[in-house]
Amino acid sequence: AQTVTQSQPEMSVQEAETVTLSCTYDTSESDYYLFWYKQPPSRQMILVIRQEAYKQQNATENRFSVNFQKAAKSFSLKISDSQLGDAAMYFCAYPGAGSYQLTFGKGTKLSVIP
Amino acid sequence: EAGVAQSPRYKIIEKRQSVAFWCNPISGHATLYWYQQILGQGPKLLIQFQNNGVVDDSQLPKDRFSAERLKGVDSTLKIQPAKLEDSAVYLCASSSSRGGFSKNIQYFGAGTRLSVL
């Protein structure tokens, strides 16, 4: 069974500072994608960033970047220059090849302190 | 471009009653997903449709849950009869399914929060 583990139930960061959210996953596949989704109190899941496993370069989207360690099966999200609007639940997700469903971690609740 | 639409936003029912949720995916998206998100957990897939056919419903409690996607567009998810443990947020998502399922981004609706009393 595919598993996605987020070991930090809650994190906090000062506004304008940098925070890193951790995620590990289990797979026997070699080619796959990984996703980070954000879920604000409005409940709508919003894609933050995705990483292609066969690409060695870490994905970057504005203030969001990932540290992808394929051998360690680690996929952490770094948020730079944190803003109040970044406060939300963050979910790591893995859609295993051959399995169409997204498997989500339990999430990390991020608080941004003004 | 309009996003995934879901209704209602909230629903409160008593146990053993029935309830239905509606989802309209992004135009042109062939794949539609229903997820259940229990408080404090990540979403869990209930059922996946490709056009109007079921791709995966292995985690759908079929004794009480049913779903359909007529004409390959809108979808409804029904619970009958509801149990206390069905209290959750029900999320609908859609994707275009081009280039292989695992690569496609899933776009989510705002979900329906169900409370079963």
Side-chain angles (χ1 to χ4, degrees), chain A residues 40-77:
Chain A
S42 66
R43 299 199 303 264
Q44 186 159 12
M45 301 282 278
I46 302 164
L47 179 68
V48 174
I49 198 166
R50 69 172 177 171
Q51 173 76 41
E52 301 174 45
Y54 67 88
K55 286 188 176 180
Q56 296 196 358
Q57 186 174 8
N58 290 324
T60 299
E61 289 286 343
N62 300 314
R63 298 182 294 105
F64 299 88
S65 61
V66 301
N67 182 3
F68 175 51
Q69 303 288 331
K70 190 174 183 180
K73 297 177 184 174
S74 170
F75 180 57
S76 60
L77 174 69

Side-chain angles (χ1 to χ4, degrees), chain A residues 79-100:
Chain A
I79 306 174
S80 304
D81 185 25
S82 296
Q83 301 176 0
L84 296 178
D86 295 334
M89 287 291 293
Y90 286 81
F91 291 94
C92 176
Y94 166 72
S99 170
Y100 309 138

